[in-house]
């Protein structure tokens, strides 16, 4: 790492991101086939169900392994994501002008995670848990749970699919396409962002990590 760069994501969390998101994309696509009636013919021999269950197993097991190996990283991430201050409220107000018009004058300084990233964490954690609980009930209590309970499981699973699927497009758009997020892709692939990017997008975090170095 040169002195023009700052480490944003360490290797284990990048590996977690890509295996976990790979599983999610697999679940999303095979789920779409099960969800849209017109595509039902693709599910006829049930191979989509098999892939959906393999994807689900990876989606569940990988974060558990990460949690066992690196509990402090998980605790740290949750703490960052669920700690909100007045700067987050300021971000919510200023964000539309920033993301749509490139006007950054009202954007409050951000920590290691900006407010948008905190919201994505929230969605990933809450809907991840809902997906897993409802999915496990549907697989393991198919014959023992009452039809009303199973109906609820399907409904919650479907709502989670619609909300988190829509937000995934926002996540990919901001991370890969948006012209102002220049170093997001290199952060999640190689781990680093430039010091200029860190200063501009995560001023409070940059002040912490650069303390005593400049
Ligand atoms: C498959 C397409 C995906 C792409 C191209 C992608 C891309 C990225 C990028 C570029 C970042 C770094 C953002 C930054 O720090 O500036 C990131 C972070 C992150 N991604 Fe993804 N991602 C994808 C899927 C997912 C999925 C499916 C999940 C959840 C299951 C996920 C969860 C996260 C989380 C929690 C972060 C850290 C917080 C944030 O920066 O939003 N990603 N991703």
């Amino acid at each position: 790492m040169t002195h023009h760069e700052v480490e944003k994501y360490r290797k284990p969390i990048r590996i977690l991101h890509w295996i976990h998101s790979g599983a999610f994309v697999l679940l999303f696509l095979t789920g779409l086939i099960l969800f849209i009636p017109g595509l039902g013919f693709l599910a006829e021999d049930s191979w989509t169900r098999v892939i959906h269950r393999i994807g689900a197993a990876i989606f569940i097991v990988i974060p558990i392994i990460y949690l066992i190996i690196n509990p402090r990283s998980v605790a740290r991430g949750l703490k960052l994501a669920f700690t909100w201050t007045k700067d987050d409220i300021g971000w919510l107000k200023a964000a539309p002008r920033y993301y749509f018009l490139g006007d950054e004058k009202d954007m409050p300084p951000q920590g290691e995670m900006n407010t948008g990233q905190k919201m994505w964490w929230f969605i990933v954690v809450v809907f991840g848990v809902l997906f897993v609980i409802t999915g496990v009930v549907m697989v393991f209590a198919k014959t023992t749970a009452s039809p009303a309970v199973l109906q609820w499981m399907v409904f919650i699973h479907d709502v989670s699919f619609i909300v988190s699927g829509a937000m995934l497009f926002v996540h990919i758009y901001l991370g890969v396409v948006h012209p102002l997020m220049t170093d997001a892709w290199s952060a999640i692939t190689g781990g680093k962002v430039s010091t200029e990017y860190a200063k501009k997008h995560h001023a409070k975090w940059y002040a912490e990590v650069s303390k005593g170095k400049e």
Side-chain angles (χ1 to χ4, degrees):
M1 182 155 48
T2 71
H3 60 281
H4 301 300
E5 292 171 321
V6 193
E7 185 168 55
K8 180 91 195 292
Y9 297 110
R10 294 177 56 216
K11 197 168 200 179
I13 205 138
R14 284 182 269 139
I15 295 173
L16 168 70
H17 178 271
W18 288 116
I19 300 178
H20 198 229
S21 63
F24 189 88
V25 169
L26 206 60
L27 287 163
F28 181 87
L29 295 175
T30 49
L32 196 65
I33 292 171
L34 298 168
F35 183 70
I36 297 180
L39 293 177
F41 68 95
L42 287 171
E44 242 156 43
D45 289 329
S46 259
W47 59 269
T48 42
R49 273 194 177 76
V50 175
I51 298 176
H52 201 73
R53 287 174 191 200
I54 294 170
I58 300 170
F59 187 82
I60 295 170
V61 169
I62 290 298
I64 293 176
I65 293 174
Y66 185 84
L67 178 67
I68 293 168
I69 298 174
N70 220 339
R72 289 171 62 193
S73 160
V74 176
R76 192 172 160 275
L78 288 171
K79 193 173 168 219
L80 283 173
F82 288 87
T83 305
W84 282 53
T85 68
K86 66 171 193 336
D87 283 341
D88 293 297
I89 310 300
W91 186 96
L92 289 174
K93 290 186 188 149
R97 286 191 65 80
Y98 175 68
Y99 287 95
F100 292 118
L101 304 172
D103 174 3
E104 60 176 328
K105 82 174 173 331
D106 292 331
M107 285 297 266
Q110 295 290 306
E112 182 172 344
M113 266 182 219
N114 71 29
T115 314
Q117 293 175 307
K118 290 178 185 178
M119 293 193 291
W120 179 232
W121 258 76
F122 183 84
I123 285 170
V124 170
V125 172
V126 170
F127 289 107
V129 169
L130 288 178
F131 269 130
V132 170
I133 293 173
T134 53
V136 165
V137 171
M138 285 191 275
V139 169
F140 293 105
K142 200 173 186 164
T143 51
T144 49
S146 75
V149 167
L150 286 173
Q151 283 274 301
W152 271 105
M153 296 301 123
V154 173
F155 178 71
I156 297 169
H157 210 76
D158 286 357
V159 170
S160 303
F161 169 68
I162 293 165
V163 177
S164 62
M167 293 320 288
L168 176 61
F169 281 95
V170 177
H171 177 65
I172 295 174
Y173 173 74
L174 286 172
V176 184
V177 184
H178 197 289
L180 293 171
M181 287 341 107
T182 48
D183 292 13
W185 179 256
S186 64
I188 202 70
T189 51
K192 292 157 208 146
V193 298
S194 68
T195 47
E196 294 75 46
Y197 185 87
K199 271 185 216 166
K200 226 174 157 52
H201 291 253
H202 303 276
K204 287 194 279 191
W205 172 62
Y206 183 73
E208 280 163 36
V209 294
S210 65
K211 214 180 275 168
K213 284 189 196 149
E214 281 201 339

